[in-house]
Amino acid sequence: MFDARAAKALAAGDHITVEGAPGLRLVATASKRTWTYRYRSPVDGRMRQVRLGHWPAMGLPAALAAWERVSAQRNAGGDPAAEARTRRRAAVVERQVDAFTVRRACDEYLSSYGRLVAPKTYAEAARLLSLELGDLASRPAASIARADAFGLIDGMR
């Protein structure tokens, strides 16, 4: 069924298919061997593939278990590659939202505020914000409730 020696000897660009597991293959590159599942998408009929893991860290039994999971998903009418792509894009958006911290929001506010007031007033506002932000500074801006914002403003009075 699967020969580890043959897998180790694979040249870059070659692949080995696994009998009894349609679409499961071990693909070789210059530096690694990757388990992939190739299939025809039930959504649009195009050929797709999903990376399941790297060999030898993921052995044949684990690759077969991963193959069963994604092939069942495909047989149920889903497109595992499209769903993985959607999850990756959502994670990128979530990281971008999380990266916008309260400190960053305050810095952006201060940069626009600095053009409207005298330098001495700006310096005092920046000093007060730095003093009062405390642990709020590192929190994502989207996680701040109205009570948190009003508490900070009331504390600065």
Side-chain angles (χ1 to χ4, degrees), residues 105-157:
C106 289
D107 290 343
E108 288 185 16
Y109 169 76
L110 284 173
S111 69
S112 64
Y113 182 69
R115 291 186 293 255
L116 302 174
V117 296
K120 188 175 178 182
T121 306
Y122 171 79
E124 182 62 12
R127 185 187 71 78
L128 284 173
L129 265 178
S130 293
L131 267 171
E132 298 293 332
L133 277 180
D135 15 323
L136 283 180
S138 61
R139 287 181 48 190
S143 73
I144 300 300
R146 179 184 171 127
D148 297 326
F150 277 76
L152 174 65
I153 293 167
D154 286 339
M156 291 178 68
R157 279 193 196 162

Side-chain angles (χ1 to χ4, degrees), residues 57-127:
M58 176 184 266
L60 179 62
L64 286 170
W67 169 81
E68 284 179 5
R69 183 177 34 82
V70 293
S71 65
Q73 186 179 3
R74 182 216 169 260
N75 291 339
D79 189 345
E83 291 169 15
R85 188 178 321 109
T86 302
R87 281 193 307 273
R88 281 192 308 270
R89 287 180 181 160
V92 167
V93 168
E94 186 175 315
R95 279 194 307 271
Q96 289 171 345
V97 167
D98 287 346
F100 192 73
T101 61
V102 172
R103 173 82 256 172
R104 189 166 157 206
C106 289
D107 290 343
E108 288 185 16
Y109 169 76
L110 284 173
S111 69
S112 64
Y113 182 69
R115 291 186 293 255
L116 302 174
V117 296
K120 188 175 178 182
T121 306
Y122 171 79
E124 182 62 12
R127 185 187 71 78

